Amino acid sequence: CPDLQQLCIDERASCLGGMTNDLARALAVHCKQLSVLEVYFQRYSLPSELFTDEGLIALSEGCKGLRKLTLYNCDRISDRSLYAVAANCPGLTAITLGGYNEHITDGGMTVLFDSCKQLRHVQLSSKLFKVTDCSGSSLAANCPCLTNAKLTQAMTDATIQQLALSCKHLRELDLHRSCRVSCEALQRLLEGCLLLSRLVLPQQLEVGAVVRAMSSRCCCSLSTLEEEQLQVLALQ
């Protein structure tokens, strides 16, 4: 399959298992046109142990045109893989890291953001506890074309303020699990990111306070703000 460009391997919906290092190496050799890769495992899945840094590093070396990478519950993947993707796939435009992973840290994320400056979609699991404002600042500084982002639980006002300053194309931001976010930071975000159309709030924030902060966005009444169709969601 030398012309294969998109591949989704979902262990959750298959009786054949999921991604393995052997399959990743085969893709690197035979599918060099691969640009979209999605890998899903069930939480705490034993098959996920068969897909490690060795496999993803080999794949990044063979598929240098990778543009979109999605990894869910790939808990054997670490910063080593992010270093390799950063070095081999600088044209990456979207990355999603879902589920718990204690092996991915600011070290890997900052290197990735520094190299992959075309990133537009960055979805980070709230359970990446070692991915903090250090990564958030790097994302904002290096990826000005960012349009869609989901932040980790360890990111705070500092990341939001950096996004407000640098990411003027931001349209969607998910803060659902971000515990340390203030209305003041959100006000700066709304003032700085005028294209923002969807904002998912942490549960502990009062929606009314955010709506009041929105009034500074264009110094107008709530009715006009409703016409802007800024969707504010407070998920339970």
Side-chain angles (χ1 to χ4, degrees):
C1 51
D3 296 325
L4 182 68
Q5 295 185 15
Q6 300 184 35
L7 179 63
C8 176
I9 301 178
D10 192 343
E11 180 256 348
R12 304 169 302 179
S14 171
C15 60
L16 301 177
M19 174 67 88
T20 65
N21 285 349
D22 288 342
L23 177 54
R25 294 188 191 100
L27 290 170
V29 173
H30 301 291
C31 304
K32 294 186 178 295
Q33 301 302 313
L34 189 68
S35 62
V36 178
L37 176 65
E38 299 178 19
V39 178
Y40 301 88
F41 286 102
Q42 296 184 60
R43 190 177 183 185
Y44 306 128
S45 168
L46 287 177
S48 68
E49 297 182 4
L50 300 177
F51 182 47
T52 68
D53 286 327
E54 283 66 29
L56 188 51
I57 290 171
L59 189 144
S60 73
E61 292 172 345
C63 304
K64 295 180 182 293
L66 199 64
R67 294 291 181 267
K68 297 181 180 181
L69 177 63
T70 299
L71 303 173
Y72 265 85
N73 294 317
C74 298
D75 51 14
R76 297 295 177 177
I77 298 300
S78 76
D79 284 344
R80 289 181 57 215
S81 290
L82 299 186
Y83 298 149
V85 171
N88 298 314
C89 310
L92 198 71
T93 62
I95 185 165
T96 298
L97 301 176
Y100 173 76
N101 190 318
E102 64 179 6
H103 306 298
I104 290 178
T105 72
D106 283 330
M109 296 306 305
T110 54
V111 170
L112 183 78
F113 295 148
D114 184 58
S115 177
C116 302
K117 299 182 186 297
Q118 299 178 45
L119 278 168
R120 292 178 173 81
H121 297 263
V122 176
Q123 299 287 303
L124 303 178
S125 169
S126 62
K127 297 178 181 178
L128 296 177
F129 299 120
K130 297 181 180 179
V131 179
T132 71
D133 287 328
C134 182
S135 296
S137 295
S138 178
L139 172 64
N142 291 294
C143 306
C145 295
L146 186 70
T147 62
N148 187 304
K150 180 178 183 292
L151 303 187
T152 72
Q153 194 173 127
M155 291 177 175
T156 70
D157 282 359
T159 292
I160 295 175
Q161 290 168 2
Q162 289 299 316
L163 292 174
L165 288 172
S166 304
C167 299
K168 302 301 182 182
H169 300 284
L170 190 64
R171 293 181 179 273
E172 297 188 13
L173 182 62
D174 188 339
L175 305 172
H176 181 205
R177 298 295 184 184
S178 302
C179 298
R180 291 170 286 176
V181 175
S182 69
C183 287
E184 290 75 13
L186 292 177
Q187 182 170 348
R188 291 193 181 185
L189 178 76
L190 295 168
E191 292 170 351
C193 301
L194 299 181
L195 298 180
L196 194 68
S197 61
R198 186 173 189 267
L199 178 61
V200 183
L201 298 176
Q203 183 177 347
Q204 74 272 14
L205 274 184
E206 181 193 355
V207 177
V210 178
V211 171
R212 288 193 295 272
M214 288 166 53
S215 63
S216 67
R217 179 170 174 168
C218 58
C219 301
C220 56
S221 66
L222 180 59
S223 61
T224 306
L225 287 166
E226 289 173 339
E227 290 173 4
E228 284 191 337
Q229 297 182 340
L230 173 60
Q231 184 180 9
V232 181
L233 305 177
L235 300 185
Q236 301 300 315

